[in-house]
Amino acid sequence: MSVYVVGDVHGHRDALADALRAEGLVDGDDKWSGAEDQLWFLGDFVDRGPDGVGVIDFVRSLQEQATDAGGSVQMLLGNHEILLLGMYHFGDRQVPSDFGPRSFARSWEINGGLLSDQDRLTPEHIEWLSARPVVSLVDDHLLVHSDTLEYLDWGDGLDAINAAVKEILTGNDIEAFWEVWRRMTTRYAFRGPAGEDNAQQLMDALGGTRIVHGHSVIADQLGIHPAQIEGPYLYAGGKALGIDGGLFVGGPCLVVELPFVPES
C-alpha cells in the first residue's frame, strides 16, 4: 500500500486524470486502479481552470471506487473551495469591514471563479465539500493546503481545527466564513530565516515530521518558469514539502508518493 498526494488542480480535470494514470492510480477509462493505495488531494479543485465541478465529480467517483477496492481517496479543503462555498452562500453580500467594500463575489471573480462551476453546484456538492477536513496526519506527514500557521487559530489539535472550520462552513456567519478564506490565503510561513522554526511549531502542535502543502506554486518559490518544474520542492531544512506545480500557469500536475526522497 502506497500513499500519494496531489497539489492544486484548479479545474484541469483531464490533466489530473493523465497524471493519475501515469502513476497507475486510474485506468484508461478513468476508473480507480490503485487497489489499496491511499490518495490525498490537498485542495483547490476549482477556479482558474475550465472544469472545477468536473474535478469534484471525478474525485468523488474515485473515492467511492477506491473504498470498494480497499483503498482510500480523500481531500483537504483549499482556499478556493472556501471561496466557492462563500460565493454560493453569500454572493455579493457585503462583508462587514473597516478596510473598504468586500464580498465573496468580488474575491471570487478576482481569483478566477467560473460561472460554469457555480451554475453546476448542487446541494450534494455543497454538503460534501463542507464536510471535508482542512488538516490531516498521514504516516507522520502533516497534510495542509496552505503554507501558513493560521490553522492554529482554530484549535490546538487536528480534530479541534477540523471541527471548528466545519462548524463555520455549515453555519451562516459571513464574518467567520470570510475569516476562513482570509487565513487560508496566507502563505510562505516556512520560507526564510524563521521558516524551519515555524514548520516545527506547526508540527509540535499537530504532529508529524514533515509538512506537505500546496497553495504556493513551486516556480514562485524558486524563481523559475512553471514549465521547468520537475518535482516537489523540499525546503525548511527538510521539514516542508511543496507540491503545487502551478498547473493553471503551465506547470505539471504533481502526483507525489510519500515519503518523498529527493534524488541525490
Side-chain angles (χ1 to χ4, degrees):
M1 188 269 291
S2 298
V3 177
Y4 295 86
V5 287
V6 183
D8 307 37
V9 179
H10 283 302
H12 291 79
R13 187 245 183 245
D14 293 342
L16 169 62
D18 289 343
L20 294 175
R21 195 174 301 112
E23 294 294 335
L25 294 169
V26 302
D27 62 19
D29 295 320
D30 292 351
K31 302 298 184 183
W32 177 255
S33 58
E36 297 179 357
D37 288 344
Q38 289 187 43
L39 176 61
W40 277 86
F41 292 91
L42 302 192
D44 280 9
F45 282 173
V46 298
D47 301 341
R48 295 178 173 160
D51 194 10
V53 170
V55 174
I56 295 171
D57 288 339
F58 179 38
V59 171
R60 290 184 68 201
S61 69
L62 291 181
Q63 185 176 54
E64 184 175 335
Q65 296 159 24
T67 299
D68 291 342
S72 175
V73 173
Q74 302 293 336
M75 175 209 181
L76 298 181
L77 291 174
N79 60 305
H80 281 265
E81 278 76 43
I82 308 305
L83 189 54
L84 182 86
L85 291 168
M87 174 64 180
Y88 180 88
H89 289 302
F90 303 109
D92 60 4
R93 178 178 160 191
Q94 291 296 302
V95 180
S97 169
D98 295 329
F99 304 100
R102 297 191 302 185
S103 70
F104 279 102
R106 182 172 182 272
S107 289
W108 172 79
E109 183 175 7
I110 290 171
N111 285 278
L114 275 72
L115 279 174
S116 55
D117 282 343
Q118 285 289 333
D119 288 345
R120 291 166 59 200
L121 282 175
T122 67
E124 189 177 7
H125 288 129
I126 298 303
E127 182 179 3
W128 184 80
L129 287 170
S130 300
R132 297 309 98 198
V134 292
V135 290
S136 187
L137 189 64
V138 178
D139 291 349
D140 221 27
H141 289 84
L142 180 59
L143 306 186
V144 295
H145 173 70
S146 307
D147 41 331
T148 181
L149 296 178
E150 298 271 342
Y151 291 101
L152 298 178
D153 288 344
W154 287 306
D156 57 3
L158 297 170
D159 291 343
I161 291 169
N162 287 326
V165 173
K166 182 179 179 180
E167 183 177 4
I168 293 169
L169 298 186
T170 54
N172 59 6
D173 185 335
I174 189 172
E175 292 181 78
F177 217 107
W178 182 268
E179 189 65 5
V180 177
W181 154 246
R182 185 201 64 76
R183 288 178 182 173
M184 291 190 62
T185 61
T186 60
R187 64 179 82 237
Y188 297 149
F190 314 132
R191 285 177 54 171
E196 188 172 343
D197 288 342
N198 286 342
Q200 190 60 55
Q201 178 185 342
L202 192 65
M203 290 187 289
D204 286 346
L206 303 181
T209 57
R210 177 175 288 171
I211 297 166
V212 185
H213 70 85
H215 189 49
S216 293
V217 177
I218 294 167
D220 295 339
Q221 300 262 56
L222 297 178
I224 61 176
H225 191 279
Q228 296 176 271
I229 296 171
E230 297 181 350
Y233 175 45
L234 186 63
Y235 67 111
K239 294 180 179 180
L241 184 70
I243 66 165
D244 181 2
L247 182 55
F248 75 98
V249 285
C253 180
L254 294 178
V255 180
V256 180
E257 186 174 0
L258 299 179
F260 172 72
V261 180
E263 296 181 2
S264 56

